[in-house]
Amino acid sequence: MWHAASMTEVSPLVFEATKKAGLVWVAVPGQPRATPVWFVWHEAESGSAAYVVTGPGEQPAPGLAEATDCAVTVPSADKRSRIVTWAGAVRRVEPGGAEWDDVVPAMLAKRLNLADAETAPTRWAHECAVLRLTPTGEILEAGPTLPTDSLAAPPAPSPARTATRVPYTLHRRPRSAGR
């Protein structure tokens, strides 16, 4: 569990919590809020890291592709609390390199509902960014330093939200036979 660039040991808390998580929240300096992202925890010769894909047709992660560092928050299994927040170094994985050839198949295997699985690596190489989030060794929050209040915030503005009322239903919906 070593990070090759700085040779700092990845904390067992960071390693185990992140490896078992399905998503993490990534906070990027200069962005107003953290963003939930799907990732793959991958262990390679260069060390363990979280890998994220972002871009057209993939999950939005505002500012992450341009960032050099971020804060990664690992939620608990019940998604009601957080386990740890660790500092991460952000680096783009270059298409065609050994790291790309190692991590992209692992990401494709774990990516659910991917309509273009055969062509996704090419699309990712040309239109998206595959990013490596490497733990720096700095733990920003854990145990007694975790916040005790909810930290709930209003939802971010989104074109997917609608301000209109639910339309009136003219007829009742049929009941299922099992009722």
Side-chain angles (χ1 to χ4, degrees):
M1 292 187 299
W2 293 90
H3 170 252
S6 64
M7 296 307 287
T8 59
E9 186 176 346
V10 176
S11 157
L13 174 62
V14 169
F15 182 84
E16 290 299 325
T18 310
K19 182 172 81 168
K20 293 177 182 177
L23 69 83
V24 291
W25 289 80
V26 177
V28 177
Q31 293 297 317
R33 62 179 63 222
T35 306
V37 294
W38 167 85
F39 73 99
V40 170
W41 183 260
H42 191 69
E43 299 172 49
E45 288 182 25
S46 58
S48 300
Y51 288 87
V52 173
V53 62
T54 182
E58 298 298 332
Q59 62 193 346
L64 187 60
E66 297 79 32
T68 57
D69 60 282
C70 65
V72 179
T73 299
V74 181
S76 64
D78 65 5
K79 307 287 188 261
R80 295 181 187 269
S81 60
R82 52 182 66 190
I83 297 172
V84 64
T85 299
W86 49 270
V90 180
R91 181 177 55 78
R92 185 182 293 259
V93 178
E94 294 302 323
E99 185 177 23
W100 179 275
D101 294 341
D102 183 37
V103 77
V104 167
M107 294 179 80
L108 287 170
K110 299 211 181 209
R111 173 70 160 77
L112 300 177
N113 304 323
L114 186 58
D116 64 340
E118 296 81 27
T119 59
T122 304
R123 182 172 55 82
W124 290 357
H126 292 93
E127 300 174 13
C128 298
V130 174
L131 305 168
R132 177 186 170 106
L133 312 180
T134 307
T136 64
E138 182 181 2
I139 294 179
L140 305 174
E141 297 176 331
T145 63
L146 288 169
T148 56
D149 52 342
S150 78
L151 302 178
S158 167
R161 295 183 61 192
T162 177
T164 61
R165 295 181 340 150
V166 175
Y168 175 76
T169 304
L170 186 58
H171 301 286
R172 285 201 213 184
R173 296 187 178 158
R175 293 183 137 188
S176 66
R179 286 187 174 188

